[in-house]
Amino acid sequence: MKPKFETLAIHAGQEPDPTTGAIMTPIYQTSTYVQSGVGEHKGYEYSRTGNPTRKALEDCLAALEGAAYGLAFSSGMAATDMVVRLLKSGDHVVCGNDVYGGTFRLFDKEFRKFGLHFDYVDTTDVEKVRAAVTAETRLVWLETPTNPLLNVSDIQAIGGVLGGLPERPLLAVDNTFATPYLQQPLALGADLVVHSTTKYLGGHSDVVGGAILMNDADLYARLAFMQNAVGGVPGPMDCFLVLRGVKTLALRMERHASNAEAVANYLSDHRAVERVIYPFHDSHPQAAVARRQMRNGGGMVSFTLKGGKTAALKAAAATKVFALAESLGGIESLIEVPAGMTHMSTVGSPLAVDPGLVRLSVGVEHVDDLLADLEQALGQA
Ligand SMILES: *Cc1c(COP(=O)(O)O)cnc(C)c1O
């Protein structure tokens, strides 16, 4: 019997250390490896090229995404950068129109100057994706659910549209918000899954990292070549932290989601709240797609207040359990106002978010404490 997700999260890619029996993968804090003769080694020569702690992480994350291959990077952005490097000047990319602000910044401010062309479309509408694809399109970049609007795109339907094209573009999915516990894009027709492991996979707000998971051997060979050639690799300590984090991913995602659902329900009943966004909430425009492709609604909740931006800034400054900070996916609850924090790079662009939008990363604290904190903060706003 193939091990289930929870078992893979704890064991995949990890064997007790053969020299000592250490049950946890050691942090191989080394840059180089002794050779018994010129070119004769045990599979490791230099730690940019390969490191055993990194290899354990790459194999574990691949197993969790149902992928044949995994590659780890120094950040989610370094992983995203690698995917775009598969393209060449003149190629066209169709990208979601409310992707992570840093993804938009990388595409718009870095890759455009190398002659790549980007179109940003509403990927929740499969027909808009179909209409945006040209003869030069080589990559479709999806994020689902998106950051911070939690829009949900139908991965399987978009994969189906691309599959019908004479020259099928690559389909890459940023699975950071959902994690492989909720959603496995490769099984839905994606070619590449990208993660910021900084978020739920690490899960403890103590590491920055990224990963790419895939089934295709040729894509793996090209990306592994670039991983070594470009060098945006994570250090062994960072790999260890993510490996440790994923061991509890299933447990954490269950609690994140049950707390987030309670928060979404609480907010939607609150008189000061204008709109609540949560993928599994009945009011969500893509709730049906979300329920089909995700195991639960995840830990992120966004909302707007009737008092607009002023009330949003007051509420964000008034919470005590929810810390006012960027990032997400850790065990602790965070609150932020994307327009002034994580998504500043989109201000004035077509991707700009409502200045009154508040984003919550709902942690795994006791739900009563989270609801009481929101109650007092909304009272002040
Ligand atoms: C944070 C994030 C990234 C970027 O990852 P880093 O690890 O910060 O480089 C990419 N996509 C999404 C959805 C994110 O939330």
Side-chain angles (χ1 to χ4, degrees), residues 33 74 84 93 95 152 192 224 230 275 277 282 311 339 359 367 374 376:
Y33 306 82
S74 55
V84 184
V93 180
C95 179
V152 173
L192 298 158
V230 178
R275 177 173 173 224
I277 312 173
D282 289 334
R359 187 189 79 178
V367 67
L374 291 172
Q376 66 81 21

Side-chain angles (χ1 to χ4, degrees), residues 19-44:
T19 53
T20 62
I23 197 101
M24 287 300 143
T25 305
I27 301 162
Y28 286 93
Q29 194 75 52
T30 186
S31 62
T32 190
Y33 306 82
V34 73
Q35 306 199 2
S36 54
V38 175
E40 287 170 29
H41 53 74
K42 297 175 172 161
Y44 295 98

